Amino acid sequence: AKQGLQVNSVAMPRRGGEAVGAIARLEHRDGRSIIVNVEYNQLNPLLLATGHPEGDVDGADGYSPFPGNTNELIFSLAEYADQLKKTGGQVPEFINPKFADETRTTFKSPTRLECMMQDYPKGLPPDAHVGFTRYPLEFGYFPCK
């Protein structure tokens, strides 16, 4: 509440290349920017393609400058309710098929429509206040992958 954020992503320190989504500020050429999750398998290619030849590496503190997304989001309810009214509760969806092998001709399991809650900020107006709070690892985020 102190920062006036409409969306606050809870994050924790992560090591460069660690298989967990990362919180990053994405900047458009026209100056607009957004703080949003970038999936771990997309972060390094994104960095390499946008002038960061070192990619996702640890900084001087031993951690990546892109904190790990814990998939915990805190919403400002008034703005969230307004956004639901504007969108009718609809969010972008995608199909994420799981294939049985590298031929990509047989599904491993039935595919379905999916949406990612961490993409919610992408639908907000450009002036929306979106940020993150980075907690220390000692607070207990230990995903098993």
Side-chain angles (χ1 to χ4, degrees):
K2 185 190 265 187
Q3 301 296 324
L5 297 176
Q6 292 178 21
V7 180
N8 185 1
S9 294
V10 178
M12 50 48 162
R14 60 176 281 284
R15 304 250 185 235
E18 188 173 352
V20 63
I23 303 296
R25 177 186 299 274
L26 303 181
E27 297 181 358
H28 297 272
R29 290 184 181 158
D30 65 8
R32 291 177 295 132
S33 68
I34 186 171
I35 296 174
V36 70
N37 177 71
V38 176
E39 290 298 316
Y40 68 87
N41 60 345
Q42 298 172 356
L43 181 61
N44 207 50
L46 176 67
L47 291 170
L48 294 172
T50 56
H52 299 87
E54 67 284 354
D56 181 27
V57 296
D58 293 339
D61 65 353
Y63 293 101
S64 170
F66 305 99
N69 179 22
T70 65
N71 286 332
E72 298 172 64
L73 299 170
I74 302 167
F75 295 102
S76 173
L77 290 181
E79 287 87 353
Y80 183 65
D82 288 344
Q83 186 70 5
L84 289 177
K85 285 179 189 170
K86 288 178 195 170
T87 64
Q90 295 185 11
V91 294
E93 299 171 322
F94 63 95
I95 297 173
N96 187 13
K98 307 290 192 266
F99 294 101
D101 57 33
E102 60 278 346
T103 65
R104 299 175 63 93
T105 57
T106 306
F107 292 119
K108 181 178 179 180
S109 58
T111 194
R112 63 188 184 272
L113 282 175
E114 297 182 26
C115 63
M116 296 197 313
M117 63 183 187
Q118 61 264 38
D119 283 349
Y120 171 79
K122 292 178 181 177
L124 296 175
D127 61 346
H129 292 96
V130 178
F132 68 91
T133 300
R134 186 178 110 163
Y135 290 105
L137 283 174
E138 297 80 37
F139 279 31
Y141 183 73
F142 306 102
C144 298
K145 292 196 177 211

